[in-house]
Amino acid sequence: MIIAIDGPAAAGKGTLAQNLAKHFKYAFLDTGRLYRAVGFAVLEQNQDPSDPYYAITCAKKFDPKNINSILKNPLLREEATGNAASKVAVIPEVRAALLDLQRDFAEHPFFEDGTSAKGAVLDGRDIGTVVCPNAEIKFFVTASAEVRANRRFKELNDAGKIASYEKILQDIKERDFRDSNRSSAPLKPAEDAYILDTSNLNATQAFQKALDLISQNHL
């Protein structure tokens, strides 16, 4: 069983994906963190994430066996890393370099300790459309840009970090534009995806709504 969850930044797809994975005892992969890891690696070299040479080189260096440790890096959550991820993600060769890794995980899911799982939950931008177009269950999780910016602003403030709501909103709108207009695997709902708008839902309500849709149509 493969559950594909797509959507823009801060829509709540990551939380929903983790909750579903825990509920069904499936393995979980945050594919957005793969792109964040590439963006972070480029920034660590003091290079421009928009430069195809450095982005592609970093993407090709990933070892699937060590991917869990790479994705645990807390610095991948930084706003600068997120913006870098959006820039490397528009490069077709970067997406191609990470595509096999994602598909292999979906087809042969495993937990952090290396044991195999009976299913997988992947969240990202193109899981239902490109990575796993044959996934049994697909969600496209969205929310207004203003709601998503406010969530990120609160998250950063709660972490004791100084943040500007206006800057976060601008970054989100710019990332939405890049993700939706890139030539390779643009951000869009799969034709058979359930659209889940979380603008007026908290994490628990979104999870329950997703469970209801799954139980009504797939169980």
Side-chain angles (χ1 to χ4, degrees):
M1 173 71 77
I2 299 174
I3 300 177
I5 302 181
D6 294 306
K13 66 182 184 299
T15 300
L16 175 61
Q18 292 180 69
N19 285 338
L20 288 174
K22 183 178 180 180
H23 177 82
F24 290 110
K25 295 182 173 60
Y26 289 172
F28 166 68
L29 178 64
D30 178 352
T31 67
R33 281 197 168 231
L34 292 174
Y35 292 95
R36 282 175 174 263
V38 174
F40 178 77
V42 176
L43 293 177
E44 281 286 276
Q45 298 180 24
N46 293 317
Q47 299 297 334
D48 182 359
S50 300
D51 188 317
Y53 173 79
Y54 292 101
I56 296 168
T57 300
C58 289
K60 288 184 175 179
K61 286 183 178 179
F62 280 167
D63 182 351
K65 296 179 181 179
N66 298 326
I67 200 62
N68 282 327
S69 60
I70 293 173
L71 300 186
K72 284 182 178 179
N73 185 348
L75 294 178
L76 298 187
R77 291 295 301 169
E78 297 291 334
E79 284 297 305
T81 308
N83 288 328
S86 185
K87 292 176 181 178
V88 302
V90 304
I91 302 171
E93 292 86 350
V94 171
R95 306 198 70 82
L98 299 179
L99 182 58
D100 287 343
L101 188 155
Q102 296 172 73
R103 285 180 172 168
D104 186 66
F105 180 89
E107 295 170 6
H108 308 285
F110 58 88
F111 295 110
E112 288 189 5
D113 62 3
T115 59
S116 60
K118 61 181 180 180
V121 181
L122 291 83
D123 89 74
R125 299 289 198 280
D126 62 346
I127 307 303
T129 54
V130 176
V131 180
C132 301
N134 295 320
E136 291 85 348
I137 302 170
K138 301 176 185 177
F139 285 101
F140 188 85
V141 184
T142 188
S144 71
E146 290 74 17
V147 167
R148 290 185 285 127
N150 190 58
R151 288 173 180 169
R152 187 72 83 200
F153 176 73
K154 185 177 184 302
E155 177 185 344
L156 292 171
N157 275 351
D158 290 346
K161 299 177 181 178
I162 299 175
S164 163
Y165 169 81
E166 289 74 18
K167 179 64 166 60
I168 293 173
L169 179 60
Q170 178 185 347
D171 288 345
I172 280 180
K173 288 181 176 180
E174 289 177 354
R175 288 185 62 186
D176 286 352
F177 182 82
R178 283 197 300 267
D179 292 345
S180 299
N181 290 278
R182 64 193 179 210
S183 59
S184 177
L187 170 66
K188 63 179 182 179
E191 291 184 2
D192 53 347
Y194 299 112
I195 308 298
L196 185 57
D197 191 322
T198 66
S199 296
N200 298 308
L201 300 176
N202 59 34
T204 301
Q205 292 169 329
F207 173 60
Q208 189 57 56
K209 189 166 185 178
L211 276 185
D212 290 344
L213 287 168
I214 292 173
S215 63
Q216 291 167 12
N217 298 284
H218 299 276
L219 298 180

